[in-house]
Amino acid sequence: MDDTTKIAITRRLASAAGHIKGIERMVQDDTYCIDVIKQIQAVQAALNKVSTMMLDNHLRTCVTTAIQGDNPLEREQMLEEVVNVFEVTGKLSL
Amino acid sequence: MDDTTKIAITRRLASAAGHIKGIERMVQDDTYCIDVIKQIQAVQAALNKVSTMMLDNHLRTCVTTAIQGDNPLEREQMLEEVVNVFEVTGKLSL
Amino acid sequence: MDDTTKIAITRRLASAAGHIKGIERMVQDDTYCIDVIKQIQAVQAALNKVSTMMLDNHLRTCVTTAIQGDNPLEREQMLEEVVNVFEVTGKLSL
Amino acid sequence: MDDTTKIAITRRLASAAGHIKGIERMVQDDTYCIDVIKQIQAVQAALNKVSTMMLDNHLRTCVTTAIQGDNPLEREQMLEEVVNVFEVTGKLSL
């Protein structure tokens, strides 16, 4: 991962952690439940953005290298991992 | 897409459409709301599985071809599309 | 459920089922995978809207009756069901 | 919110914030992207559990009070808020 991306991702993660600390205080101060839930949803959206940036980086580096390389097992493993990460979206236990 | 995958995906889609027709009847028969919602969630999980199968196929065909090819613009477009599809997960309008 | 709501929900479900039949044809016609995935995501958004309408109706009818009633067990069951449905919706997103 | 629930929720939030600080270090140490994404998804699942606990508490306190009360406007507002929070959770998943 290049340094610019690493710094950008680290900042977003630090911001999300700080956001959660703020939500902790909201809970301790008896903030209205719905407002707390909305802040949690905002953190989840921010974390989604970080995951997307990580995936973007992964596709441009490891996955590209594996697909251009001549190790079919490695290529297969890379693609499976990406698909699995995508599928977690649908991991539902009804 | 190979024929086996196409048939498997088509069957799952037909099953999801049939499931929704069944939910329509549940609503007309005044089925308990929570039971209707659970059936809708089951269809959404089934559709997630279809999306995952489509993405799996896409990575193994178009994306692999583009990454192994020598058109950097096409490669870039492919990766962006995959990232965008992943990001829709986080498309949240608070 | 009043008739207006029932008709509105039934129409949305019929539309979602029709949308999925259209996606089946897209797959059979070898439509570009990413375009298929986007259509599936559109159906999921439509189904999410239907679930929300069902929950809205449920809260205004059964849940309101149970909370105003004097059967604590029934009230407890109603609230648990709503919480469970909410939790599963969040799991669908993870 | 009773103290037991408040302590339980605060602990889960503190744990999620700590988890994110750990993910920050993973990024700085160049941990494999897929492993980072999986950890982010674990935090999101933990946050989803906190939202569910908050909603559970909200339904048993404010919403119950409003529905048993005689202010129809307040009751209406409460139900709308719950429905909106549900709808956003579904959008997070699409």
Side-chain angles (χ1 to χ4, degrees):
Chain A
M1 189 183 293
D2 65 72
D3 279 354
T4 315
T5 307
K6 193 188 280 194
I7 291 170
I9 285 178
T10 305
R11 276 195 191 144
R12 280 171 186 269
L13 286 169
S15 158
H19 201 154
I20 292 181
K21 299 306 284 181
I23 297 173
E24 259 185 83
R25 284 188 295 275
M26 288 174 75
V27 172
Q28 276 160 352
D29 296 348
D30 296 310
T31 306
Y32 187 54
C33 292
I34 295 290
D35 292 336
V36 173
I37 293 174
K38 284 181 182 170
Q39 291 306 313
I40 293 174
Q41 291 175 329
V43 173
Q44 289 180 304
L47 291 176
N48 269 332
K49 181 64 188 168
V50 176
S51 283
T52 302
M53 291 169 76
M54 292 297 301
L55 183 74
D56 184 281
N57 179 74
H58 185 57
L59 290 171
R60 284 167 210 286
T61 54
C62 305
V63 175
T64 294
T65 303
I67 287 180
Q68 288 173 342
D70 45 13
N71 183 338
L73 276 180
E74 195 189 36
R75 192 162 62 217
E76 178 59 27
Q77 195 202 327
M78 285 285 157
L79 295 182
E80 262 187 31
E81 282 174 349
V82 171
V83 170
N84 284 343
V85 155
F86 180 80
E87 191 173 18
V88 171
T89 301
K91 271 280 171 303
L92 167 76
S93 45
L94 284 173
Chain B
M1 188 183 293
D2 64 72
D3 279 355
T4 315
T5 308
K6 193 187 280 194
I7 290 171
I9 286 178
T10 304
R11 276 195 191 144
R12 280 171 187 271
L13 286 169
S15 159
H19 200 154
I20 293 180
K21 298 307 283 182
I23 297 173
E24 259 186 83
R25 283 188 295 275
M26 288 173 76
V27 171
Q28 275 160 352
D29 297 348
D30 295 311
T31 305
Y32 187 53
C33 292
I34 295 290
D35 293 335
V36 174
I37 293 174
K38 284 181 182 170
Q39 291 307 313
I40 293 174
Q41 291 175 330
V43 174
Q44 289 180 305
L47 291 176
N48 270 330
K49 181 64 188 166
V50 176
S51 284
T52 302
M53 291 169 75
M54 293 296 300
L55 183 73
D56 184 281
N57 179 73
H58 186 58
L59 289 171
R60 284 167 209 285
T61 54
C62 304
V63 175
T64 294
T65 304
I67 287 181
Q68 287 173 341
D70 46 12
N71 184 337
L73 276 180
E74 195 189 36
R75 193 162 63 218
E76 178 60 26
Q77 195 202 326
M78 284 284 158
L79 296 182
E80 263 188 31
E81 282 175 349
V82 171
V83 170
N84 285 342
V85 156
F86 181 80
E87 191 173 18
V88 170
T89 301
K91 269 281 170 302
L92 166 75
S93 44
L94 285 172
Chain C
M1 187 182 294
D2 65 71
D3 279 354
T4 316
T5 308
K6 193 187 283 195
I7 291 170
I9 285 178
T10 305
R11 276 195 191 143
R12 281 172 186 269
L13 286 169
S15 159
H19 200 153
I20 292 180
K21 299 306 283 181
I23 297 173
E24 259 186 83
R25 283 188 295 275
M26 288 173 76
V27 171
Q28 276 161 351
D29 297 349
D30 295 311
T31 306
Y32 187 54
C33 292
I34 295 291
D35 293 335
V36 174
I37 292 173
K38 284 180 183 170
Q39 291 306 313
I40 293 174
Q41 290 175 330
V43 173
Q44 288 180 304
L47 291 176
N48 189 48
K49 181 66 189 166
V50 176
S51 283
T52 301
M53 291 169 76
M54 292 297 300
L55 183 74
D56 184 281
N57 179 74
H58 185 57
L59 290 171
R60 284 166 209 286
T61 54
C62 305
V63 175
T64 294
T65 304
I67 287 181
Q68 287 173 342
D70 45 13
N71 183 338
L73 276 180
E74 194 189 37
R75 193 163 62 219
E76 178 60 25
Q77 195 202 326
M78 285 284 158
L79 295 182
E80 263 187 32
E81 283 174 349
V82 172
V83 169
N84 285 342
V85 154
F86 178 80
E87 191 169 18
V88 170
T89 298
K91 275 187 191 155
L92 266 166
S93 76
L94 293 170
Chain D
M1 188 183 294
D2 64 72
D3 279 355
T4 315
T5 308
K6 195 187 280 194
I7 290 170
I9 285 178
T10 305
R11 276 195 190 144
R12 280 171 185 269
L13 286 169
S15 158
H19 201 155
I20 293 180
K21 298 307 283 182
I23 297 172
E24 258 186 84
R25 283 189 294 276
M26 287 173 77
V27 172
Q28 276 160 351
D29 297 348
D30 295 311
T31 306
Y32 187 53
C33 293
I34 295 291
D35 293 335
V36 174
I37 292 174
K38 284 181 183 169
Q39 291 306 313
I40 293 174
Q41 290 175 330
V43 173
Q44 288 179 304
L47 291 176
N48 189 48
K49 180 66 188 164
V50 176
S51 284
T52 302
M53 291 169 75
M54 292 296 301
L55 184 74
D56 183 281
N57 179 74
H58 185 58
L59 289 172
R60 285 167 209 287
T61 55
C62 305
V63 174
T64 294
T65 304
I67 287 180
Q68 287 173 343
D70 47 12
N71 184 337
L73 276 180
E74 194 189 35
R75 193 162 62 219
E76 178 59 27
Q77 196 202 326
M78 285 284 158
L79 295 182
E80 262 187 32
E81 283 175 349
V82 171
V83 169
N84 285 342
V85 155
F86 178 81
E87 190 169 18
V88 170
T89 297
K91 275 187 190 154
L92 266 165
S93 75
L94 295 171

